[in-house]
Amino acid sequence: MKKLKNTSNNIVTIPPSGVRGKLTVVGAGPGDVELITVKGIKAIEAADVILYDALINEELLKYASANAELIFVGKRKGCYAFQQEQINELIVTKAKEKGHVVRLKGGDPFIFGRGAEEIDYVQQFGLETFVVPGISSSIAVPAYQGIPLTKRGSSESFWVITGTTKAHQLSDDVAIAAKSTATVVILMGMGKLDEIVRIFSAENKQDTPIAIIQEGTTENEKFGFGTISTITKVVEEKQLANPAIIVIGDVVKERVQLTSIYSEVARNS
């Protein structure tokens, strides 16, 4: 699969006459290739250019036209194929050159996905803009492990919080959430796990159940369960790392046993 390199900081060009560009921001879902909407697949099929992130399942690119240009613009911790400003400019350039750009993002593009930022930027250049919602990993990943984020008698609400803000700090909302009885779901938080443990411990929640699920909904999924007081050891033993979802709350012990989704697929194929 061709991954284009960034070769210029000045990538906004004068468009050819007669080309009216558009952007469709598409949520690719949490990882399982089948957890994408029909509308999302149709957008991929119709794209002239697809800019895709690191967390999408690349099997989805098989739905692209043979003539579509595929550009990897993914970001990992400490490793950027493109800076966000360059991605914004690249969307405009490709839309003006070729027509329909699909920005393919993991999960839902409006949940810590910068989808709204990209739409705001490109609308300045007259592009038509559309969004196709995706299934968020914050919901799907716990569900695949049988964890209900809400359950009568255990949790009446849930928080979804980023573990790393723009300033590379843990969100202040974690400390507020720790005071509540809600289920707390933290994305991109593995690098802040020790800090998260300290915050919940300060609220006398050492015995609160916690789950960490790495690469959820994929065949590479790994997970660990424990309490606030034991989870650091569990992570070490199971060698858990990003990308992972952290789920904290009594609903973790309400986990239901599910038939493996992978064995079910194999049985029906």
Side-chain angles (χ1 to χ4, degrees):
M1 185 171 301
K2 187 177 182 181
K3 296 185 179 180
L4 303 186
K5 294 183 179 180
N6 178 28
T7 58
S8 173
N9 291 325
N10 183 19
I11 56 179
V12 175
T13 59
I14 299 173
S17 61
V19 177
R20 184 182 182 189
K22 72 175 182 179
L23 166 68
T24 303
V25 179
V26 177
D32 185 329
V33 71
E34 295 182 323
L35 290 181
I36 187 172
T37 63
V38 173
K39 189 176 287 292
I41 292 294
K42 289 181 177 179
I44 293 170
E45 291 173 338
D48 297 306
V49 182
I50 299 174
L51 277 59
Y52 64 98
D53 280 349
L55 291 179
I56 71 134
N57 189 325
E58 293 193 13
E59 289 291 309
L60 293 172
L61 299 177
K62 292 182 178 180
Y63 289 100
S65 162
N67 296 321
E69 183 177 4
L70 309 179
I71 307 176
F72 175 75
V73 293
K75 297 183 284 291
R76 292 290 196 188
K77 184 178 180 181
C79 181
Y80 292 79
F82 288 78
Q83 297 294 328
Q84 185 61 51
E85 293 78 11
Q86 294 170 320
I87 293 172
N88 294 344
E89 293 174 346
L90 186 59
I91 293 170
V92 174
T93 298
K94 292 299 180 181
K96 295 295 186 180
E97 286 178 353
K98 297 193 174 182
H100 185 195
V101 173
V102 162
R103 183 72 173 93
L104 193 57
K105 294 173 170 287
D108 180 272
F110 279 12
I111 300 179
F112 305 126
R114 297 187 179 180
E117 294 178 34
E118 292 173 354
I119 288 174
D120 283 343
Y121 180 84
V122 305
Q123 284 181 341
Q124 303 173 74
F125 298 88
L127 269 63
E128 296 181 283
T129 52
F130 306 89
V131 63
V132 179
I135 298 175
S136 173
S137 60
S138 62
I139 298 170
V141 168
Y144 260 43
Q145 278 298 322
I147 300 172
L149 295 187
T150 62
K151 186 176 181 180
R152 286 192 297 177
S154 294
S155 176
E156 298 172 355
S157 62
F158 62 92
W159 294 58
V160 179
I161 307 173
T162 179
T164 306
T165 65
K166 186 176 181 179
H168 304 291
Q169 303 296 318
L170 182 68
S171 170
D172 292 339
D173 287 348
V174 174
I176 302 171
K179 298 178 183 295
S180 75
T181 60
T183 304
V184 180
V185 180
I186 302 175
L187 310 183
M188 302 171 287
M190 289 299 288
K192 308 291 185 182
L193 183 60
D194 289 344
E195 189 175 349
I196 292 166
V197 166
R198 286 196 298 272
I199 288 170
F200 277 82
S201 296
E203 298 296 332
N204 295 317
K205 292 189 173 181
Q206 294 90 338
D207 296 328
T208 299
I210 178 171
I212 294 179
I213 309 162
Q214 176 182 327
E215 296 188 69
T217 79
T218 75
E219 293 183 354
N220 298 321
E221 184 173 273
K222 295 171 63 178
F223 53 87
F225 298 92
T227 64
I228 291 295
S229 63
T230 66
I231 195 61
T232 301
K233 184 177 181 181
V234 171
V235 167
E236 291 177 358
E237 291 174 348
K238 294 185 174 287
Q239 297 183 321
L240 300 175
N242 277 319
I245 302 290
I246 302 171
V247 185
I248 304 171
D250 288 340
V251 293
V252 173
K253 65 184 179 185
E254 299 289 345
R255 181 186 181 213
V256 296
Q257 295 299 314
L258 301 173
T259 303
S260 168
I261 187 69
Y262 307 113
S263 63
E264 186 70 18
V265 168
R267 195 160 50 242
N268 293 330
S269 62

